[in-house]
Amino acid sequence: MSVAVHCLICCRKITTSGTVSRRDRSWKDIRNIAKITGSLFLGGCVFITYEIQSLRKAITLDTQAVQQEKLKSYIYVHTLAADKNDLQGITNKLRKELHKTAIKVLEASARLFRKEYDREKYSKSNMEDHELPLWLLLKGTQSTDKKVRLEAVQNMAGIHYWRDYQYRTVAQACDRRTTVGLARSKDVDQRFFLPPPALPQVDDNYSIEDEVRQLLSSLPHTVVDQCIKYFTSLALRESSQSLVAQRRGLWCFGGNGLPYAESLSSVPSEKLEVYSLQALLKHSRISTHVDSIVSNGGLQLLQRIYLLRKDSQKIQRSIMRVIGNLALHEHLHSSIVDSGWISLLAEAMKSPYVIQTSHAARALANLDRDTVSEKYPDDVYVLHPQHRTSQPIKADVLFVHGLLGAAFKTWRQQDRDQPLDESAAQEEDYTECWPKDWLAEDIPALRIISVEYDTNLSDWKAKCPVDNDRKSMAYRSSELLKKLKMAGVGKRPIIWVSHSMGGLLVKKMLVNASRDEEMQDFVKNTRGIAFYSVPHHGSRLAEYSVNARLVLFPSIEVKELSKDSPALKKLNEEFIEFAKNKDFKVVSFSETLPTRVGSMMKLHVVPAESADLGIGEIISVEVNHLNICKPKSKDSFIYQRTLNFIVDALGADLRKQ
């Protein structure tokens, strides 16, 4: 079996000999030196031919060019005063010499990939001794034995001493499965990944907004709800009616296109981020729309925006969310890999920011079908392990944020009151996500997941006018339960850790799961629940002025979280009944300090009596509502008590071999 591979090599250096000026030797003076085409034989090797396209000066080929390029990453050429008519002869000579050398490599490496491979015989072949480990690893990565395959990728990822050409050889020769595996390996060398293919050249009149508009207009308008229509309309609203008439399909969204902006020939605007990417993100969640996104150039367009907006983590995260959604569909994996996204995701995995790495880790996990059986839908993020690991996973710990929270910022270390004294403390002592950094270190056998409500919901503003029905506790808990099941939650013992309203969602999810035959694993495998300032009996915040409520709560949440609200009372009664005779532990942490709300108001958001579930242990902590889930340090009471609770609740599960 073989597959054709076409790529363009840019030589690192062009070294000329003879009496030529420095200016003539410069890269700028030699254009379009060579084009490389090849055929990759899976279970064979790379067969390469170079083809001269055009030169400012005619050249002759040093017959040792192949070995020199392979060993030193150089191509040596000699200048020659020759007529342009000789160019074809130079091309033929170049191809002939390179073919000879490539055939020798082909014959030697082909023997390696035969089943009857003999290491001793191979060592006497034309292949150089230092090449043997490389080809052995490549052979291993293509093994039909999964154990051999994974071990080969792991060993390859640990190599940091190869020459540049060896990394390039692997980058061109390894298959998609191996490329994804390398990207999910910890501390992997970035040289293992080919840079993304060159994007099509654009002229001065090119507009990214125009291309995004065309992509959105090409997407199906079936199976879309009112909110998707709403966000797509925002992205298409302001262009002229004449432009709309030229773009068939825009009318189905009831809106026009984005305005032209000269700056968008190079950099997208904030409007593109807020509206267009948001609309595209929602389309990427619809299985019947993903093929249209890819077939209409969405992967390349998103890559162009991603590379142009390196200054905006927010835009890049939005784009990675779309890629992660597309990666949920296995038939699109080859398109995602071939379009060059793996090198960008592998680079993002090395980011110092937990949000960036988590978005990249989600996309890569969805692409890695060799070691990951689960699929991670939008808003479900694995904090640990984010790389391939041989550590067996014995339990899942799920973090569910609350009001005004998010999957990452809710679980950061408590913010310092004053800047660090550089002479006394180090910045790396601070963590942006203590479950990822502290808990994973103390109990590495855990899979740690943080969930997030939809972007419209996490900041608790109804951005979509028809979205109010989705803001109820019942809808949110139902959606989260489905997403967690897709991510494989329920197959292992579970610990729930929740803050504020997140605890109410956990209770609702478990009550719902107890009534659904397909969700029984959630109930059966729950070992413990930790509640941080959860308003089991309502919040006093809802008693304050209408203005305060509008700032902090949408109307549905005000009704559901009001003290003694019927819905809240019913939920608590249902949960207490559900918990009877269940073998899981419960601990509740209660705030004792007031929280500043606005510039003039302080209050206990969740009073002690409301934080008391009525079952399990209740612990008062001298912190406010926001800091109760943000330990000051790894030695703080909150973290250590939570750690001990998790260990005790899991008990024998952690000791199992």
Side-chain angles (χ1 to χ4, degrees), residues 48 123 130 149 173-174 238 246 279 313 442 583 585 615 640:
I48 299 174
S123 64
H130 68 277
R149 192 165 65 240
C174 66
E238 299 181 18
Q246 297 171 18
Q313 292 183 30
D442 288 333
D583 187 21
K585 298 180 181 294
I615 60 174
Q640 287 299 320

Side-chain angles (χ1 to χ4, degrees), residues 2-35:
S2 66
V3 58
V5 176
H6 301 281
C7 55
L8 185 66
I9 281 187
C10 293
C11 306
R12 292 198 165 211
K13 294 184 180 180
I14 301 295
T15 304
T16 59
S17 62
T19 56
V20 292
S21 68
R22 179 167 183 162
R23 178 177 179 276
D24 286 335
R25 292 200 306 264
S26 70
W27 170 255
K28 292 181 179 179
D29 287 342
I30 304 179
R31 302 174 182 174
N32 300 322
I33 292 295
K35 180 179 182 181

